[in-house]
Amino acid sequence: MSTELTTTAGAAGARNQAIGRFLSRYGILLSFIILFVILSFAHPNFLSSGNLMNVLRQVSINGILAIGMTFVILTGGIDLSIGSVLALTGVVAGSLVTGADPYNPAIAFFAAVGVGALFGAFNGTLIARFSVPAFVVTLGMLSMARGATLLYSNGRPIPNLSPEFRWLGQGFIAGIPVPVIIFAIVFIAAWITLRYTVYGRWIYAVGGNVKSAKTSGIPTRTVIFSAYLLMGALAGLAGMILTARTTSALPQAGLGYELDAIAAVVIGGTSLTGGVGSVVYTLIGALIIGVISNGLDLMGVSSYYQQIIKGAIIVVAVLIDRSRNMNP
Amino acid sequence: MAEPASLGEGKPEQAHHVLVPPASISQTVSEKGVVNDADLLLAATSISKAFAGVPALVDGRIRLKRGSVHALCGGNGAGKSTFLNILMGLHRADAGTVMVKGKVVHYSSAAEALADGIAIITQELSPVLDMTVAENIYLGREPRRMGWFADKAKMEADAAALFARLGFDIDARVTMRSLSVAKIQLVEIAKAISRESDILIMDEPTSAIGEKEAATLFAAIRSLQDQGVGIIYVSHRLTDIFSIADSYTVFRDGRFIEAGDLVDIDRQRLISLIVGRDLRDQEARASTSTGEPMISVSGFALHGQFEDISLDLAKGEILGLYGLMGAGRSEFANALYGNAPKDAGTVKIEGKPVEIRSPSDALSNGIAIVTEDRKETGLVLTSSVSENVVLAALDQFSKLGFVDGKKVAANVDAQIARFRIRTASRDLPVQSLSGGNQQKVVLARCVETEPKILICDEPTRGIDEGAKREVYAFLSAFAAAGNSVLMISSEIPEILANADRILVFRRGRIAGELKGAAATQEALVHLAS
């Protein structure tokens, strides 16, 4: 009898374990699908191709930032400055493509990415070389980059952007919005990098155990530096797309964007202590945030409530993650 | 010869009666009838404790008298820590009785032991670094003003008075962070003393402090002794034991072996009691040293940690480094590997001078390391077995920065088979493996870098006997293939059985070299302490 009991308990335990494994692997995807189905029934327009494209376009900016943030958080760091850096790169790009004689949009593109990378390099140097905590460095940069933005633009929007430049935010290739295509390229490159390259292995090792990584001969400081550099460059890319989409460069753009990017990473289950996570889950995290705001917009829920709901989802996602880790 | 051999194997009860020196026997007998012996502070008998079915302590005993400094001696795994944890209420004994000041106690927490006047100074220091010395001493029992406010002035005055009484030269108003490790240790000692306990347990109190602080500490111990405090003094340093303690108890393999007064015993006899006669259970490995120099280290120093370390390691040789905790062995190994700074020192490999400034320099010169703590500095616990195995050698498995997954998989599977790593899959997280299998993953990672020289810092710490044998077999084969091993270990039988030669570290210097028949447990302990 006692044997029977143990066997049953063992089988139940094994089943629970299997369910746990399934949930930890596909739970976030499952949540997304459930959410998607609910919204499809809740509002008739949700599934229209126009609306879905709209969601994807909205998601691309946060998605690009969240991919950079995944690299940073995988190394065990954080970057709070990206909303401000995004605004700065936006006005820099905007200033190059406005007026009677605008530059080629390619120049604006490289200027935005370059300025972003420069600020990322500054963060990365202080964090990796001088061991200043990432939270502090990027919190300072959040303020400095915003100030630089206001200074550069005199606090005023930069209007009349050239149509060629605006195409980067508003155009389509084969019916797909350009920002979505850029986002897709960034996502695939990031996925391949993290999964199949030596550099990707280094990112995970540095975040998982920096001492062990160092003992294994990995240039840990360079790896940490590179994550902030990449984050900055992607913030520049996102800043350029946002400017091109909104038709004028706004110095107050990007307020709070760092929080949405972190939220996407965290909802995707990437560990804030580093070493565990994936851009695939970050993508789903970004899609969840995008779909929820879109759905709530469609249903006419006030943006005040939306903020409360979004915050609650982040906390619940991490809570589920924690309880799962505590009862393996 | 026959008589000492029976010491360890004889039944403990018999051993006790047969072996205690005559003086102690008479005492024991006279105390027997008197249950409320006013002088007897603590009496523990037949204490046993098993963890998950593995016995850590089979028969622990001690008798501590008022005003006595009683040395508790024993090697690694003798059961001292388990025994002390039971006395302090941190573990519950499976059987046996503990009597404190004449009454039987069953502590279920350290707070109960503290309330009964038993305090402990542990090896692991736990200071709150950013608080002041005074705040640390009165942590959790701060003197108050008006019921709510911590009385800082009183705290500081009391702490200053305490230091004056003990003769410690420490300012109570500075933060702990500004103190040296030795001073922090003295503060921890003062903290335990400030509880005015009549039973004080000191676990390796001198392991982190210098000669000068040790002298101060011994003076303080003597004044406590005069006040009637009973002290259980645990230390591997026999010199300390003979200079401060008056009586002793020896544990070996979880059993009480002998107790008595130190005046009746000499150092050699105490060592042989601690070591036992039957510990050399492993066949000594035949030397494969070729005599050709592999690596030559000279003048390595990091001030305050180790000084003037020079050594030569031949091809095919396993060189042992033995020493007590804090003797500077691991610090030296890390400096050699480029993982920690050094103030001076040069390295030659196969006759050519090399500069090793970082682990990647070491790896490219054919040196690999198995660090002391596989969880802290060895493995990336969040990653899989496979990722950990190839981590240090990724460039061999990649083209243009892309990892060749198939090559990795084939190679990792080969390593899993070679080291007999028990894991269901190479993709399981390495933290799901047992300690022994995790250690084999670390070894496999070292092998992947194709080293000529392997530094192993405590390569078998915390792993089971079977896995230990496999690690030894690997090291032996590795050396036999013409490579060199620097084996750091504080397990005497292990280092005796595996090393061709042994260098002994004492307080940051090489105290001597032992080889062949001269390499005995007694000689090692003698040189190291």
Side-chain angles (χ1 to χ4, degrees):
Chain A
M1 169 133 170
S2 67
T3 341
E4 247 172 59
L5 274 176
T6 0
T7 327
T8 328
R15 197 161 55 237
N16 281 342
Q17 265 188 357
I19 292 170
R21 263 201 303 279
F22 179 80
L23 278 181
S24 77
R25 192 166 293 176
Y26 302 110
I28 182 74
L29 185 61
L30 211 64
S31 321
F32 176 64
I33 291 169
I34 291 167
L35 192 69
F36 200 84
V37 171
I38 291 173
L39 286 172
S40 311
F41 284 107
H43 202 280
N45 282 351
F46 179 76
L47 271 181
S48 73
S49 69
N51 184 55
L52 289 182
M53 277 303 162
N54 191 27
V55 170
L56 278 179
R57 193 159 45 193
Q58 282 168 354
V59 164
S60 349
I61 301 218
N62 185 35
I64 290 171
L65 293 174
I67 283 168
M69 192 64 81
T70 307
F71 278 73
V72 168
I73 289 180
L74 277 177
T75 67
I78 194 95
D79 191 341
L80 301 176
S81 69
I82 54 171
S84 302
V85 171
L86 171 140
L88 177 62
T89 59
V91 297
V92 167
S95 72
L96 295 172
V97 292
T98 184
D101 186 18
Y103 284 100
N104 187 305
I107 298 205
F109 176 96
F110 287 114
V113 173
V115 167
L118 193 73
F119 277 71
F122 184 80
N123 284 337
T125 305
L126 286 175
I127 294 160
R129 184 72 197 81
F130 298 101
S131 307
V132 187
F135 191 94
V136 177
V137 170
T138 60
L139 185 65
M141 183 55 79
L142 173 132
S143 179
M144 288 190 283
R146 180 67 62 185
T149 309
L150 293 166
L151 209 60
Y152 186 85
S153 63
N154 278 322
R156 284 193 290 270
I158 301 170
N160 299 326
L161 307 179
S162 74
E164 292 82 10
F165 178 73
R166 278 184 286 147
W167 176 81
L168 287 168
Q170 298 168 356
F172 291 86
I173 297 175
I176 301 169
V178 175
V180 175
I181 291 172
I182 297 176
F183 174 41
I185 293 169
V186 170
F187 168 75
I188 291 167
W191 182 72
I192 290 173
T193 302
L194 282 179
R195 204 176 157 86
Y196 294 109
T197 68
V198 172
Y199 173 71
R201 300 291 90 207
W202 285 358
I203 290 271
Y204 282 99
V206 164
N209 186 343
V210 70
K211 286 181 190 164
S212 173
K214 197 181 160 211
T215 305
S216 299
I218 293 170
T220 50
R221 288 176 194 273
T222 313
V223 171
I224 292 170
F225 169 82
S226 72
Y228 292 92
L229 179 77
L230 179 70
M231 174 79 259
L234 289 176
L237 183 63
M240 186 213 62
I241 296 172
L242 180 70
T243 306
R245 214 183 75 192
T246 48
T247 69
S248 58
L250 305 171
Q252 69 274 28
L255 279 174
Y257 276 27
E258 62 279 352
L259 299 182
D260 276 357
I262 295 168
V265 176
V266 166
I267 291 174
T270 294
S271 158
L272 277 175
T273 51
V276 181
S278 148
V279 283
V280 177
Y281 295 122
T282 296
L283 170 67
I284 300 171
L287 285 173
I288 287 178
I289 294 177
V291 162
I292 286 173
S293 3
N294 177 264
L296 294 174
D297 275 342
L298 286 179
M299 289 186 280
V301 178
S302 111
S303 69
Y304 302 160
Y305 280 113
Q306 286 195 26
Q307 291 197 24
I308 295 175
I309 293 168
K310 208 162 69 183
I313 286 170
I314 296 169
V315 176
V316 169
V318 177
L319 189 72
I320 292 169
D321 196 50
R322 269 296 136 82
S323 54
R324 199 175 60 212
N325 285 341
M326 276 190 293
N327 316 306
Chain B
M1 177 108 177
E3 202 196 14
S6 67
L7 295 186
E9 287 142 22
K11 282 187 183 143
E13 301 90 75
Q14 289 170 351
H16 179 57
H17 291 297
V18 174
L19 290 172
V20 242
S24 304
I25 286 180
S26 62
Q27 277 172 6
T28 319
V29 172
S30 69
E31 280 158 9
K32 232 170 199 171
V34 194
V35 181
N36 280 326
D37 184 338
D39 270 353
L40 190 64
L41 281 173
L42 176 75
T45 44
S46 311
I47 308 287
S48 67
K49 174 78 184 172
F51 294 100
V54 182
L57 187 65
V58 181
D59 175 23
R61 311 180 198 171
I62 204 161
R63 292 172 75 81
L64 176 69
K65 293 181 160 187
R66 207 171 275 286
S68 158
V69 178
H70 190 100
L72 178 59
C73 311
N76 291 328
K80 291 173 302 185
S81 304
T82 309
F83 183 67
L84 295 181
N85 282 333
I86 289 167
L87 292 187
M88 279 310 293
L90 295 173
H91 292 325
R92 299 210 75 159
D94 295 338
T97 50
V98 180
M99 275 174 73
V100 174
K101 290 171 246 174
K103 80 179 192 290
V104 176
V105 294
H106 299 281
Y107 299 136
S108 53
S109 75
E112 291 177 33
L114 280 170
D116 254 4
I118 307 180
I120 189 165
I121 300 156
T122 54
Q123 265 170 282
E124 283 90 36
L125 306 177
S126 51
V128 185
L129 288 173
D130 289 309
M131 289 181 129
T132 67
V133 170
E135 283 166 336
N136 266 276
I137 289 181
Y138 295 102
L139 199 63
R141 53 194 174 114
E142 295 83 356
R144 293 174 188 213
R145 237 185 342 213
M146 294 185 284
W148 281 88
F149 302 101
D151 190 342
K152 202 168 173 183
K154 180 169 163 47
M155 242 190 270
E156 284 172 359
D158 288 355
L162 178 68
F163 288 145
R165 177 160 71 93
L166 296 170
F168 293 175
D169 177 26
I170 298 171
D171 185 346
R173 292 164 302 182
V174 301
T175 61
M176 291 296 268
R177 197 179 285 285
S178 67
L179 299 182
S180 65
V181 177
K183 289 270 172 74
I184 289 175
Q185 174 80 61
L186 288 183
V187 171
E188 294 277 321
I189 289 166
K191 181 177 176 178
I193 289 172
S194 73
R195 293 183 179 274
E196 309 295 345
S197 320
D198 26 31
I199 299 169
L200 199 52
I201 302 170
M202 297 188 175
D203 192 359
E204 294 285 356
T206 57
S207 65
I209 69 182
E211 305 283 355
K212 200 174 125 236
E213 286 90 2
T216 316
L217 173 63
F218 288 171
I221 289 177
R222 288 197 187 94
S223 88
L224 288 170
Q225 204 177 354
D226 293 341
Q227 293 159 32
V229 175
I231 294 162
I232 298 177
Y233 190 93
V234 182
S235 180
H236 287 294
R237 294 179 200 270
L238 299 181
T239 315
D240 288 359
I241 286 175
F242 277 95
S243 59
I244 192 70
D246 49 42
S247 51
Y248 67 92
T249 292
V250 176
F251 282 9
R252 192 199 314 143
D253 302 334
R255 285 176 192 280
F256 169 86
I257 298 297
E258 191 183 297
D261 288 335
L262 277 169
V263 291
D264 301 323
I265 190 170
D266 66 8
R267 194 180 162 112
Q268 285 308 325
R269 169 98 178 107
L270 186 58
I271 291 175
S272 68
L273 284 175
I274 293 168
V275 166
R277 291 284 162 187
D278 51 350
L279 266 182
R280 194 194 271 260
D281 53 346
Q282 212 195 330
E283 279 287 298
R285 179 186 141 264
S287 172
T288 52
S289 175
T290 60
E292 278 175 73
M294 174 68 93
I295 179 169
S296 164
V297 174
S298 65
F300 257 61
L302 177 62
H303 304 309
Q305 301 284 347
F306 54 87
E307 297 285 345
D308 196 24
I309 305 297
S310 299
L311 57 88
D312 291 290
L313 179 53
K315 292 184 181 171
E317 184 179 37
I318 298 183
L319 176 63
L321 287 187
Y322 177 78
L324 299 178
M325 259 187 44
R329 305 163 307 170
S330 302
E331 291 78 3
F332 163 70
N334 275 308
L336 178 59
Y337 187 69
N339 213 355
K342 62 171 188 280
D343 293 327
T346 55
V347 182
K348 276 185 192 169
I349 293 178
E350 294 178 310
K352 282 193 282 286
V354 293
E355 190 64 52
I356 297 168
R357 288 203 192 83
S358 68
S360 50
D361 287 349
L363 287 166
S364 57
N365 279 300
I367 307 177
I369 193 169
V370 176
T371 54
E372 189 177 8
D373 186 333
R374 62 181 160 269
K375 291 198 167 130
E376 186 70 23
T377 55
L379 295 165
V380 181
L381 285 173
T382 47
S383 292
S384 69
V385 171
S386 168
E387 281 158 5
N388 272 284
V389 167
V390 297
L391 189 61
L394 276 172
D395 47 343
Q396 292 171 29
F397 296 101
S398 58
K399 236 180 261 169
L400 300 170
F402 283 85
V403 179
D404 183 342
K406 276 184 196 154
K407 201 172 163 192
V408 167
N411 207 282
V412 170
D413 285 346
Q415 295 287 15
I416 288 174
R418 173 180 180 187
F419 283 95
R420 285 191 269 162
I421 298 169
R422 275 189 290 277
T423 175
S425 147
R426 70 181 106 85
D427 294 321
L428 280 184
V430 76
Q431 58 189 338
S432 67
L433 270 55
S434 73
N437 286 299
Q438 287 183 359
Q439 192 70 355
K440 291 187 211 165
V441 171
V442 176
L443 280 172
R445 172 160 82 214
C446 288
V447 170
E448 287 288 349
T449 65
E450 291 166 8
K452 295 180 288 190
I453 302 157
L454 187 58
I455 305 171
C456 294
D457 196 353
E458 302 286 359
T460 62
R461 172 172 290 176
I463 69 179
D464 65 65
E465 203 53 41
K468 277 186 186 180
R469 302 281 152 147
E470 291 178 62
V471 170
Y472 301 147
F474 161 74
L475 292 177
S476 186
F478 181 77
N483 301 301
S484 306
V485 178
L486 195 59
M487 182 188 200
I488 301 172
S489 176
S490 41
E491 304 261 342
I492 297 183
E494 156 177 308
I495 205 161
L496 284 176
N498 290 289
D500 296 317
R501 268 188 308 144
I502 302 166
L503 293 176
V504 181
F505 269 56
R506 182 173 63 210
R507 298 199 177 225
R509 288 176 185 277
I510 292 178
E513 178 182 323
L514 295 169
K515 198 178 171 181
T520 62
Q521 314 200 11
E522 288 82 357
L524 273 183
V525 175
H526 187 79
L527 268 178
S529 52

